Amino acid sequence: MLSNLPFYAIPVESVIADKLLDFATTTNKWQPYYNFHAAQVPFDLAYSDPILRSIGTKYPLAVGVIRLDPHTTYDWHTDTRRGVSINMLLNNAESNCLFSVSETEATHSFIELKYRLGSYYIFNNQVPHMVLNFNESRYLM
């Protein structure tokens, strides 16, 4: 059952999380993407995971990895070209993903998505959210 939270942990672990992290840390195919660096995940890698393969047979699915550099904030925003995504944090970079639950002119009340490595999250990108990244690159599928 889904909750009222703007994210939901899919209760099945990824079988390709380690391979995705290896891809992210070795690829040289980064492209600018909405102020991130992004790399398209090869189709055969993405679809070797039963969850992604199942989703991809029912819905259009593009799988990529985004990198957020150290000491970077991705400020409050909603995504403009997608209303939902499936996210998975790939490394233990010290970072925070926050969703705004109310705001005033200068302040936000928020809840944090505390990612578990290897877990997929359905992520409502239409709720204002932000990311704070600290000392190392942060990789997210």
Side-chain angles (χ1 to χ4, degrees):
M1 176 184 207
L2 297 177
S3 70
N4 290 334
L5 295 173
F7 53 85
Y8 172 77
I10 296 174
V12 177
E13 296 291 311
S14 170
V15 299
I16 61 169
D18 292 339
K19 292 177 185 174
L20 288 169
L21 179 57
D22 184 57
F23 169 78
T25 58
T26 60
T27 190
N28 61 0
K29 299 190 189 268
W30 295 105
Q31 299 290 322
Y33 181 76
Y34 293 95
N35 298 301
F36 287 106
H37 306 283
Q40 184 77 36
V41 172
F43 181 85
D44 59 332
L45 172 55
Y47 278 63
S48 67
D49 186 285
I51 295 293
L52 297 179
R53 186 171 56 249
S54 175
I55 293 167
T57 60
K58 296 176 183 137
Y59 305 99
L61 181 66
V63 179
V65 174
I66 56 175
R67 183 185 82 220
L68 191 59
D69 290 331
H71 307 288
T72 302
T73 298
Y74 201 81
D75 211 354
W76 293 108
H77 68 285
T78 57
D79 292 13
T80 56
R81 294 189 55 191
R82 55 189 176 152
V84 67
S85 65
I86 298 172
N87 290 2
M88 177 172 48
L89 188 64
L90 299 175
N91 65 332
N92 268 327
E94 181 186 359
S95 61
N96 304 100
C97 177
L98 310 175
F99 286 87
S100 180
V101 292
S102 68
E103 65 182 281
T104 64
E105 186 175 312
T107 63
H108 288 256
S109 295
F110 64 85
I111 56 173
E112 181 176 6
L113 166 50
K114 294 183 185 246
Y115 285 99
R116 277 189 334 264
L117 292 181
S119 293
Y120 291 116
Y121 292 83
I122 298 171
F123 191 103
N124 183 347
N125 292 314
Q126 297 308 295
V127 174
H129 56 283
M130 72 172 303
V131 176
L132 298 168
N133 189 45
F134 296 91
N135 298 321
E136 63 183 289
S137 291
R138 178 184 191 263
Y139 298 102
L140 184 82
M141 182 209 83

